Amino acid sequence: MEKYTLSLHHYLSFVVTLFGSLLGSFSNVVVFRSAESRSVIFPPSACRSCNHKLSPLDLIPVFGWIFLGGACRYCKEPISPQYPLVEAFMAFITGLSFYKTGPGLNFVLVSGFAAIWFVASVVFVRQEQKKYSPFLWAAVYASLLLRPLLPGISFNSKVSAIYTGAFFFALLVALIAMSKKDFHEYFSKAALLYILLLASPGLAYFWIAVAISAIIWFAERFETQAKHGVKAFFALNIVYIIIFMFKMPHFFSLNF
Ligand SMILES: [Zn+2]
């Protein structure tokens, strides 16, 4: 690995960040179209208001939206800020995980785990799903399969007890969900909570997550608070993804 220098690493991190923004652009398509049960491959991207086909320039991640002033070039209808925000956050996730882990399997594990977690959170906060989103299933599988593979985890008895606890806590939420009409909404909440608890990089983070979740759920019992509760839970996941990004790869060592 003599050839892999620091400047090459910085350059590749930049390239991976750009790639991440494209991945974010694709995530937007998945989020919007899966809610409408449409194909993610076809037809090509068009304005959601006037249906005008978008030019490659309009589709440049983050900057396309900024150059257009957040409105469609053709019909001047506002374009949701969800587009640039998702693109920017996906760029952040992939870029930072590469910067911290370097090329290799660890990069795929860390960025994959965080990206699935993030997209599932966006699907959750939009609440347009009337059935189980493939992404929420992916979220469950990701946490089950990827999490134990991530470095920095040694399965001593204390850690195992916490993960078993997290599993039963999430299972309890899922069971309560089954008695509710809006099952899918509770299911997605259980899936996200499960990842959030599993991904907590330390005992303190774990208990803070449990405490905040409990407060949010208590608040959600009141009709007027329900919408805020969903947004608060989304925000909690975003904060934890950021903590995960900075804390988790800490276990990797990239030595030059
Ligand atoms: Zn338009």
Side-chain angles (χ1 to χ4, degrees):
M1 292 296 276
E2 194 87 353
K3 287 271 167 59
Y4 195 77
T5 58
L6 193 60
S7 60
L8 175 61
H9 180 62
H10 286 158
Y11 171 73
L12 284 180
S13 298
F14 177 70
V15 172
V16 169
T17 305
L18 291 185
F19 174 73
S21 69
L22 291 174
L23 218 60
S25 183
F26 181 68
S27 307
N28 274 318
V29 174
V30 171
V31 168
F32 278 119
R33 292 196 182 177
S34 71
E36 298 160 0
S37 301
R38 288 165 58 204
S39 160
V40 286
I41 310 295
F42 195 83
S45 296
C47 168
R48 288 168 65 80
S49 298
C50 67
N51 236 359
H52 195 292
K53 194 171 161 295
L54 298 181
S55 78
L57 239 96
D58 302 334
L59 291 170
I60 296 172
V62 185
F63 296 102
W65 189 88
I66 294 172
F67 290 148
L68 289 172
C72 171
R73 181 196 300 276
Y74 312 100
C75 70
K76 306 293 172 212
E77 280 294 312
I79 304 167
S80 166
Q82 179 193 315
Y83 286 98
L85 289 177
V86 167
E87 285 156 1
F89 204 79
M90 286 290 275
F92 162 77
I93 285 176
T94 44
L96 187 64
S97 32
F98 185 87
Y99 182 73
K100 293 229 175 181
T101 65
L105 184 63
N106 284 341
F107 163 64
V108 178
L109 289 175
V110 171
S111 61
F113 187 82
I116 291 176
W117 185 5
F118 172 61
V119 174
S121 305
V122 176
V123 169
F124 168 79
V125 77
R126 288 178 52 85
Q127 293 211 311
E128 282 179 11
Q129 304 291 328
K130 294 290 170 262
K131 51 182 189 263
Y132 314 114
S133 152
F135 255 99
L136 292 170
W137 285 113
V140 175
Y141 291 129
S143 56
L144 282 175
L145 299 175
L146 288 180
R147 187 62 180 92
L149 296 175
L150 291 173
I153 295 301
S154 57
F155 277 94
N156 58 39
S157 56
K158 199 174 174 189
V159 171
S160 299
I162 291 168
Y163 287 171
T164 311
F167 175 75
F168 281 108
F169 192 33
L171 187 67
L172 182 71
V173 175
L175 283 175
I176 296 171
M178 282 182 209
S179 64
K180 304 273 184 184
K181 264 210 309 270
D182 33 11
F183 181 27
H184 67 276
E185 191 192 306
Y186 283 82
F187 177 81
S188 51
K189 187 174 278 180
L192 278 181
L193 179 73
Y194 185 48
I195 301 187
L196 191 147
L197 294 180
L198 283 192
S200 299
L203 259 187
Y205 292 96
F206 179 88
W207 289 116
I208 292 169
V210 170
I212 300 176
S213 303
I215 293 169
I216 290 170
W217 277 333
F218 182 74
E220 266 189 60
R221 297 187 67 81
F222 306 99
E223 196 81 13
T224 49
Q225 304 293 326
K227 276 270 168 228
H228 300 299
V230 168
K231 283 180 188 147
F233 189 62
F234 172 74
L236 179 65
N237 274 281
I238 297 302
V239 169
Y240 267 65
I241 290 172
I242 294 171
I243 292 173
F244 172 79
M245 291 311 301
F246 282 99
K247 282 277 175 184
M248 269 305 298
H250 168 74
F251 296 102
F252 306 97
S253 53
L254 191 65
N255 297 315
F256 292 102

